[in-house]
Amino acid sequence: MPNRVVVGTQWGDEGKGKIVDILTEDAEVVARFSGGANAGHTVVIDDQTFILHLVPTGILHPGKICVIGNGVVVDLEQVLCELDQLRKRKIEFRDRFLISQTAHLVMPYHKVIERLEEEARGKDKIAPTGKGIGPAYRDKMARNGLRVMDILDHDLFNKRTEWNLKSKNHFLRKLSRKEFASIKKKSLEVSKFRRRIKPFIADTVLFLNQAIKEGKSILFEGAQGAMLDIDFGTYPFCTSSNTTVGGACTGLGVGPAQIDEVIGVTKAYTTRVGNGPLPTEQQNEVGKRLQDGGNEFGATTGRPRRCGWLDLVILKYSFRINGITKIALTKLDVLDAFNKIKVCVGYKYRNKSVTEFTPDLDVLGNCRPVYEELPGWHKETHGITDYKDLPDEAKKYLDYIARKLETPVFLISTGSRRDQTILP
Ligand code: IMP
């Protein structure tokens, strides 16, 4: 079986959790490569809903080995919560869960700093998920971070934590003495997770490369989406890691030649949580119908997602930077309710046509989308599992997307359950 990377091609929340869950059947190892607890993967199995933020969803499959790679920022308390949840539901994970020794920690002070920093931004808020992701990656890049392996060295851990608290005085001095003392205590206590986390700490680079050598197939599980990538997304309204395909290599220590397929998970329309431009946003009845029909509320924060029509300008760019080889198209059934479906093929900005993505937020925020209109099917596709049962208009919509993106659709999702899927 091939080594596959699964990435989101829009602003996250494309339904990667379900796609990863399905493709896990074909893999022996599932590895997360970027982001942190800002991701939320919802998987529905036999009417049981699982929401995992850090532990790869592959853990729900007996026998599959799950890896949190060095590119992920890890909140150990959250990991332990998720493991407790799995234990309660009698899902065994002891010998098949690994955390990279060099993954960086999200510390309690990161979350506080994120909150204080966001407050200080005034009207230019990013609206992050509140999981301390930005400050944790910032410390990693500034070489101030603490890594998972550092909790094993008590003195080093305490020394670095104390130093970090001191050097972050600019924000932390806004806290009262009591609040600061509490954050300090909580931060120093992270090393107490040592006993429970130690069995899972591993040299995941060695593990993954050996697994590949042995012919095992790896599923590289992306988080968020291309437009939230720190380099390629709608900066600064993005996350702080590489959510695109390159992140799989740097976030796991695996060479690019080991990747056989790049699956681009694409929602049949567009959504976004948090601030930043969304050219095809529909702040009207259409947006409301997409939001209700698609249950577009964040898995991590519960925030309502902003909704709009499919945007091919964004997708062409996203497919280019990821080298997507196959499309997994999700939430097709949410469009069942529409008589006509619009797809954005370009933008008009100050009377000029824009056909390629630009990182210029003024253009993205103030352009007028140019739409092509396709007939809706106005029939129920929810739960369909056979391609030939789809209405002709739905097939045409899929063909249209594949043609425009010059990439085949290889999987179609028609509902949140694992079995509500059209496979090749
Ligand atoms: P952060 O990753 O928490 O720093 O958030 C930065 C931006 O990315 C915010 O606009 C978030 O709403 C957005 N974001 C982060 N993770 C996700 C995700 O998994 N799905 C959708 N949006 C996300």
Side-chain angles (χ1 to χ4, degrees), residues 143-199:
R143 292 154 294 171
N144 290 329
L146 281 142
R147 296 173 301 173
V148 169
M149 64 194 286
D150 297 335
I151 60 165
L152 302 178
D153 183 336
H154 188 71
D155 289 343
L156 177 125
F157 182 85
N158 280 1
K159 211 167 101 194
R160 284 235 188 118
T161 304
E162 300 236 16
W163 187 83
N164 265 297
L165 286 161
K166 213 184 272 170
S167 68
K168 289 167 180 30
N169 195 28
H170 173 66
F171 279 111
L172 294 177
R173 73 173 174 217
K174 293 186 179 152
L175 299 176
S176 70
R177 218 178 256 260
K178 204 169 144 203
E179 283 169 322
F180 181 79
S182 149
I183 282 301
K184 181 170 176 178
K185 185 163 174 280
K186 255 192 115 185
S187 299
L188 289 167
E189 278 175 0
V190 167
S191 67
K192 286 200 179 143
F193 300 133
R194 182 188 305 124
R195 190 185 52 77
R196 292 189 60 199
I197 289 291
K198 196 175 170 190

Side-chain angles (χ1 to χ4, degrees), residues 209-273:
N209 283 283
Q210 271 172 351
I212 291 170
K213 246 192 197 150
E214 286 163 19
K216 294 201 170 111
S217 134
I218 320 285
L219 187 64
F220 302 102
E221 175 178 339
Q224 286 85 44
M227 302 316 296
L228 292 173
D229 185 285
I230 186 72
D231 283 282
F232 301 109
T234 44
Y235 190 91
F237 299 101
C238 58
T239 191
S240 302
S241 64
N242 283 116
T243 59
T244 42
V245 67
C249 297
T250 53
L252 289 165
V254 168
Q258 309 294 356
I259 297 169
D260 302 300
E261 289 180 354
V262 186
I263 313 278
V265 185
T266 304
K267 203 182 284 196
Y269 48 96
T270 313
T271 64
R272 160 162 218 173
V273 210

